[in-house]
Amino acid sequence: MAIMIKAIRGMHDVLPTESAAWRYIERTFRQLMDSYGYGEMRMPVVEKAALFVRTVGEATDIVEKEMYNFVDRNDERLCLRPEGTAGCVRAGIENGLLQRSGPQRVWYCGPMFRRERPQKGRYRQFHQFGVETFGMAGPEIDAELLLLTARLWKMLGINGLELQINSLGTVAARARYRQQLVAYFNGYLEQLDSDSQRRLKTNPLRILDSKNPSMQAVIDGAPKLCDCLDDESEKDFSRLCALLDAAGVAYSVNPRLVRGLDYYEKLVFDWVGTIGAQSTVCAGGRYDGLVSQLGGPVTPAAGFALGIERLLALLDEEKLAALKPVSDAYLVLAGEAAREHGLVLAESVRDTLPELRLRVNCGDGSFKSQLKRADRSGASLALILGEDELAEARITVKYLRQERQQQTIPQTALTALLREEICNHVQERG
Ligand code: ATP
Ligand code: MG
């Protein structure tokens, strides 16, 4: 037997039984974005590597060790996108979107690639919904971003996510803070692990993010960013808090919250679950400097990205089960003539009821095995066309999920019955 070629570690297939939940989330997200007046962007999955080196930052985990880089045949360095913001900003500038007057609100959805150590909630190909806004200085748009995410949790029936917010200050304020931090950690060099000693030179703020228990005391004693904030950031931050209070969105201020991407400034936020190590579902903030850094006009901007796999893990089991069935009705066909007539009948049903999910038995199968297939398809009705039914232009309807007597009806009454029994009750589709 030939040796099987397997998928790449950390990159997963989504099977038909699982995709119903993906579609449900995607549909809900689209609905949400439509209702807030955001437009969809679709960017390439491959970009020039320089785009991320310049924006995400040379000394970040993503660029240092997680990017899938390769050299194209024309010697250009390309990579699979590790995140969506940089590409979205590039697309916005390149297509003149950000040069036009007026604010922009966009969203995107798709796969991202990072060569991390695969584990639960952490994959090498994962999927994000991203939302980016341009041309609006905070904090009203910051509040809008948080309100719409809170609404998404509500639409999906997800409880228990905690909103954490922090202000990183302007770039200038952060540079001052960075100096203080380096001076402080230099006094505790021997207590820092090797990763942190390296970060002290490249990206000292990331040390605050370290999960190493033996460093927690040193980290706790470090100067706090909130003590170095500039007036403008401080004012925006307290205004945002007031807006969230007014809208009734609960949050906590986490002074240790930093982002693993260099372009953030002022507001940063995380929506965090209560269980598991990979518990951050959604992360974002302001990046006022990014557009001009990529050659566009000075443009205030803010956005977030949401991990779809981590969101899926929070969906209610009951809700997931309700999304599973892929068919409503299954047409059982006994005999050569019924097989031919069945295909034609099914087409006419589909003409009238496009929303119905009708599966037709194809190929062989005894009556019993066809009914088994009908049951496995998730259908609530088996429609049976045998020789007797065919001769009388009738069809038998068998109820697979209800204690109910089967009935034989004229074929001309079939669409009315299906509409009554199924289509009128369809509320949510997977
Ligand atoms: P983490 O701290 O978990 O590594 P991050 O700060 O790297 O996350 P961002 O780059 O801000 O994450 O991405 C936003 C969201 O995308 C995360 O909150 C998470 O839900 C999701 N995400 C990021 N990396 C992965 C991954 N490797 N696998 C699955 N989801 C991911
Ligand atoms: Mg990460």
Side-chain angles (χ1 to χ4, degrees):
M1 224 167 37
I3 293 171
M4 216 210 120
I5 299 171
K6 295 206 170 140
I8 297 164
R9 221 160 82 81
M11 302 198 179
H12 296 284
D13 306 303
V14 177
L15 303 179
T17 45
E18 301 158 340
S19 59
W22 283 77
R23 287 166 49 146
Y24 165 65
I25 289 194
E26 285 159 8
R27 192 178 58 242
T28 309
F29 189 76
R30 279 201 187 94
Q31 240 170 40
L32 175 82
M33 289 290 89
D34 286 349
S35 78
Y36 280 79
Y38 285 62
E40 183 182 0
M41 282 271 259
R42 299 191 183 196
M43 299 90 67
V45 168
V46 180
E47 296 271 6
K48 292 182 184 160
L51 178 68
F52 301 103
V53 176
R54 200 194 298 177
T55 58
V56 171
E58 207 149 1
T60 57
D61 282 353
I62 293 180
V63 169
E64 261 181 2
K65 45 190 189 202
E66 296 172 2
M67 278 216 302
Y68 279 96
N69 292 302
F70 62 98
V71 178
D72 199 5
R73 286 172 201 222
N74 61 358
D75 291 333
E76 205 158 36
R77 284 200 76 79
L78 306 181
C79 73
L80 303 184
R81 63 179 183 192
E83 57 102 58
T85 304
C88 185
V89 171
R90 179 210 43 75
I93 299 170
E94 201 169 333
N95 295 286
L97 217 64
L98 304 184
Q99 289 86 335
R100 268 174 231 143
S101 56
Q104 301 284 341
R105 289 169 160 90
V106 299
W107 66 273
Y108 53 83
C109 159
M112 305 293 160
F113 303 85
R114 297 184 194 175
R115 203 174 190 293
E116 308 199 59
R117 194 169 66 80
Q119 52 198 293
K120 192 170 162 34
R122 193 173 290 287
Y123 310 106
R124 289 180 171 179
Q125 174 173 336
F126 61 100
H127 299 77
Q128 285 185 338
F129 290 127
V131 172
E132 317 290 355
T133 67
F134 303 102
M136 291 164 280
E140 286 77 18
I141 188 65
D142 303 342
E144 176 174 299
L145 291 173
L146 294 170
L147 290 176
L148 72 84
T149 34
R151 182 175 297 275
L152 180 64
W153 314 145
K154 208 154 80 191
M155 290 167 84
L156 295 171
I158 293 172
N159 303 310
L161 286 180
E162 189 203 0
L163 172 60
Q164 300 185 355
I165 58 177
N166 188 27
S167 179
L168 299 179
T170 55
V171 173
R174 203 152 61 176
R176 281 197 301 277
Y177 175 62
R178 189 188 150 114
Q179 279 175 0
Q180 288 187 21
L181 209 57
V182 171
Y184 170 82
F185 281 127
N186 267 323
Y188 296 93
L189 264 186
E190 67 291 347
Q191 292 181 47
L192 299 184
D193 58 25
S194 58
D195 235 15
S196 297
Q197 289 185 3
R198 190 174 49 83
R199 283 186 172 141
L200 193 54
K201 298 200 179 63
T202 56
N203 196 348
L205 262 75
R206 286 291 278 168
I207 301 176
L208 300 175
D209 227 10
S210 165
K211 308 273 185 307
N212 185 343
S214 69
M215 282 171 44
Q216 291 312 304
V218 181
I219 291 175
D220 282 340
K224 300 259 181 309
L225 180 55
C226 52
D227 298 328
C228 301
L229 284 192
D230 51 291
D231 290 348
E232 187 193 330
S233 301
E234 208 150 2
K235 201 174 106 253
D236 283 355
F237 192 67
S238 53
R239 176 89 183 116
L240 174 72
C241 293
L243 292 173
L244 293 176
D245 290 336
V249 174
Y251 59 88
S252 61
V253 177
N254 175 1
R256 297 257 298 265
L257 187 65
V258 293
R259 294 247 64 88
L261 301 90
D262 277 357
Y263 51 65
Y264 285 108
E265 58 181 304
K266 294 185 178 166
L267 174 71
V268 288
F269 60 84
D270 266 5
W271 285 92
V272 189
T274 41
I275 34 168
Q278 267 58 257
S279 56
T280 300
V281 177
C282 171
R286 291 208 73 81
Y287 50 91
D288 291 343
L290 187 60
V291 179
S292 54
Q293 199 187 334
L294 281 175
V298 173
T299 310
F304 66 80
L306 196 163
I308 301 182
E309 284 86 352
R310 293 189 194 175
L311 193 59
L312 273 166
L314 297 176
L315 279 191
D316 190 54
E317 290 288 331
E318 235 169 87
K319 184 145 231 158
L320 286 178
L323 295 170
K324 291 255 162 76
V326 292
S327 71
D328 301 316
Y330 191 100
L331 185 55
V332 172
L333 301 169
E336 189 74 27
R339 278 154 83 162
E340 185 181 314
H341 183 68
L343 282 178
V344 178
L345 179 67
E347 287 306 308
S348 78
V349 169
R350 291 181 183 118
D351 285 342
T352 322
L353 301 173
E355 70 273 39
L356 181 79
R357 295 170 173 186
L358 174 62
R359 216 184 245 188
V360 177
N361 190 81
C362 289
D364 292 331
S366 67
F367 184 68
K368 203 170 146 203
S369 70
Q370 289 194 43
L371 275 180
K372 233 188 223 152
R373 286 178 204 150
D375 186 48
R376 272 203 304 263
S377 79
S380 48
L381 301 179
L383 312 174
I384 301 163
L385 196 60
E387 276 159 24
D388 293 349
E389 284 92 351
L390 198 59
E392 296 165 17
R394 292 167 81 82
I395 189 158
T396 298
V397 178
K398 186 176 163 62
Y399 294 86
L400 300 174
R401 318 283 158 201
Q402 296 175 59
E403 290 293 337
R404 219 169 132 182
Q405 193 66 39
Q406 68 177 42
Q407 50 173 325
T408 302
I409 58 165
Q411 284 174 19
T412 48
L414 180 61
T415 51
L417 179 134
L418 292 170
R419 184 180 288 124
E420 175 67 25
E421 297 284 346
I422 295 171
C423 300
N424 287 349
H425 308 287
V426 171
Q427 285 161 351
E428 259 183 331
R429 291 298 209 182

